[in-house]
Amino acid sequence: QVQLEESGGGLVQAGESLRLSCVASEPTFINSAMGWFRQRPGKEREFVAAISWGGKTTTYADSMKGRFSISRDNAQMTLYLQMNMLKSEDTAVYYCAAQSSMWRWTNVDSPFEYDHWGQGTQVTVFL
């Protein structure tokens, strides 16, 4: 089974930056949309950002626009999330996700559209 593995989380001060990475074990998702979600303490999993198979189309949750940037390198089978100007409310476990369907760009902000998930990486932002 294809695996997704996130890395890059950590403890940072508000205003600082982090870059998360998500590596796939196989080149299965190069034609599929991928996304980042997060789960804050006591909250449901929420959408962060998504990117199309070729990387040309992206979308973000409103609270992340202008601060976060999603990208992908299909040759490296890697998805990225650059997070700038981090806030304490960004503290969460961040998950990468991939769709099984190819060339589908519908409801990409819904976790139910994704079939494969990583284990998550913790991001903690302190004041």
Side-chain angles (χ1 to χ4, degrees):
Q1 184 174 352
V2 179
Q3 294 183 334
L4 299 172
E5 183 173 359
E6 303 96 336
S7 63
L11 179 66
V12 296
Q13 194 168 16
E16 294 184 340
S17 300
L18 278 176
R19 188 174 82 155
L20 306 184
S21 299
C22 171
V23 179
S25 58
E26 300 175 16
T28 306
F29 307 120
I30 60 174
N31 293 318
S32 301
M34 298 185 72
W36 287 97
F37 289 76
R38 72 183 186 185
Q39 190 161 15
R40 293 183 283 178
K43 304 286 188 180
E44 294 186 352
R45 193 167 296 190
E46 62 178 339
F47 172 71
V48 173
I51 188 167
S52 62
W53 40 95
K56 292 185 177 181
T57 303
T58 58
T59 187
Y60 298 88
D62 287 343
S63 61
M64 287 72 162
K65 289 179 181 177
R67 298 192 301 124
F68 291 9
S69 178
I70 188 172
S71 61
R72 64 191 295 170
D73 183 338
N74 285 336
Q76 299 296 322
M77 301 181 291
T78 303
L79 177 72
Y80 300 100
L81 183 68
Q82 177 67 42
M83 305 186 294
N84 300 325
M85 296 180 289
L86 282 162
K87 305 175 181 179
S88 59
E89 52 263 43
D90 294 319
T91 294
V93 178
Y94 285 73
Y95 299 90
C96 71
Q99 295 187 4
S100 293
S101 301
M102 293 188 292
W103 308 302
R104 175 179 171 87
W105 189 254
T106 305
N107 298 327
V108 293
D109 59 345
S110 170
F112 300 106
E113 292 295 319
Y114 296 85
D115 308 288
H116 305 273
W117 293 84
Q119 294 296 312
T121 185
Q122 175 71 47
V123 172
T124 303
V125 184
F126 64 94
L127 295 173

